[in-house]
Amino acid sequence: PQQNTYGQPPPPPGSVYGQQQQTYSSNLPTQSQAPLTPAGYPPSTITLEVIEGRSLPSRDSFGAPSDCFWMVLAKSGKLLFQSKQIIKDFNPKFNEKTTFSYSEDSRFVLIKVFDKDTFTSNDLVGQAEVDVLSLAGRPASLISLKDEKGKDAGQLYISVSSAGHQAPQAPAP
């Protein structure tokens, strides 16, 4: 069976996509280890939908619900997408999706949820590293968010799909 970054088999469909690490490591799988499309090649595009947040902790003064938005970063740190802001909600309904080209750099993405602040820098609510290919085509899944100290920081309900396939590469002369 295929294994994820952490040496574990992928979770069963509909399960919580457990303990994500907070930072990228240099031992991430290469594209040649990536799951393939029925045509035998990696997909050309990935669509990631963040449906909602669940039990997100407050990062506002006095425990008020956060004004949350999420972003997706590729392994290189490149910003792939930033959502609209949802005002004052512990369980925000994002219902936003983004489609990006698949590459080795975008196989593992970092999803970060922030509390939008007006006068100070935005506060990290939580983050999770996601292997998009291991979730592609499965039923929507819950992923656990961790804060800067590695503590539980709520969950995101996400859906991932893939489309197309990359043409085979000709050998270099």
Side-chain angles (χ1 to χ4, degrees):
Q2 296 171 330
Q3 295 188 343
N4 64 18
T5 306
Y6 317 107
Q8 301 294 320
S15 69
V16 172
Y17 191 74
Q19 309 299 314
Q20 283 76 20
Q21 63 189 49
Q22 294 184 40
T23 57
Y24 294 111
S25 62
S26 60
N27 63 348
L28 295 176
T30 62
Q31 185 167 321
S32 62
Q33 295 168 310
L36 304 177
T37 64
Y41 303 105
S44 56
T45 60
I46 298 290
T47 300
L48 170 69
E49 179 180 15
V50 174
I51 301 162
E52 66 184 23
R54 293 187 179 174
S55 303
L56 300 181
S58 174
R59 295 292 183 249
D60 276 346
S61 302
F62 311 110
S66 296
D67 298 330
C68 291
F69 68 94
W70 58 274
M71 61 175 52
V72 179
L73 302 164
K75 184 171 66 171
S76 65
K78 175 184 175 188
L79 178 65
L80 299 174
F81 181 78
Q82 182 173 320
S83 76
K84 67 181 185 265
Q85 177 183 344
I86 305 295
I87 305 294
K88 305 287 183 207
D89 199 335
F90 289 118
N91 300 297
K93 308 289 188 247
F94 292 108
N95 292 315
E96 279 193 272
K97 59 176 77 173
T98 180
T99 300
F100 49 90
S101 296
Y102 174 80
S103 70
E104 187 173 331
D105 187 47
S106 63
R107 160 115 190 239
F108 291 87
V109 296
L110 188 63
I111 301 175
K112 291 185 166 195
V113 177
F114 287 92
D115 170 37
K116 176 81 171 155
D117 288 329
T118 305
F119 301 109
T120 60
S121 62
N122 297 327
D123 300 315
L124 178 68
V125 172
Q127 62 186 2
E129 181 182 53
V130 176
D131 175 353
V132 292
L133 287 186
S134 74
L135 295 179
R138 293 177 179 232
S141 301
L142 282 173
I143 59 167
S144 298
L145 299 172
K146 299 291 181 185
D147 67 14
E148 294 160 319
K149 297 178 182 174
K151 295 183 180 180
D152 289 337
Q155 299 172 319
L156 288 180
Y157 192 49
I158 69 169
S159 176
V160 180
S161 61
S162 63
H165 64 273
Q166 297 177 11
Q169 300 294 318

